[in-house]
Amino acid sequence: MARQSISFTQPNDEWLKSQVDTQEYSSKSELVNDLIRQARNQQIEIDWIKAKLDKAENSGFSNDSKEQILAQAKSIIND
């Protein structure tokens, strides 16, 4: 695992400490890694939505219902 040294603003550091104090996370590193994983997953979802929007704009219409599109988005998030 790569070791990094980073600095936080005081409010962010206090928030990180409070999360560790509630024992939801065992360390600030674990919390920061989890936040990064969540951001990466969100980026995958955003990229998928952008691709769908681009495809829809270029094709004119989609035959998928809003329920089908939502189901597809949820399946990507859960993978």
Side-chain angles (χ1 to χ4, degrees):
M1 189 177 295
R3 186 167 177 83
Q4 301 290 319
S5 175
I6 58 175
S7 300
F8 299 107
T9 62
Q10 184 174 352
N12 287 344
D13 188 51
E14 289 173 6
W15 183 83
L16 289 168
K17 286 178 185 176
S18 73
Q19 297 302 302
V20 172
D21 288 345
T22 63
Q23 299 180 345
E24 186 167 343
Y25 295 94
S26 62
S27 68
K28 287 189 217 178
S29 293
E30 181 185 347
L31 173 55
V32 170
N33 276 312
D34 188 43
L35 292 171
I36 292 169
R37 275 190 295 277
Q38 289 177 37
R40 291 172 64 194
N41 287 336
Q42 286 177 341
Q43 189 61 53
I44 290 169
E45 180 181 353
I46 289 167
D47 292 345
W48 181 85
I49 291 169
K50 284 181 180 178
K52 280 296 238 185
L53 289 172
D54 287 343
K55 181 180 177 183
E57 287 177 355
N58 292 330
S59 68
F61 293 98
S62 172
N63 293 327
D64 294 345
S65 70
K66 63 182 178 182
E67 290 81 12
Q68 289 171 317
I69 293 171
L70 181 60
Q72 291 170 7
K74 287 181 179 181
S75 71
I76 288 174
I77 293 168
N78 294 326
D79 285 345

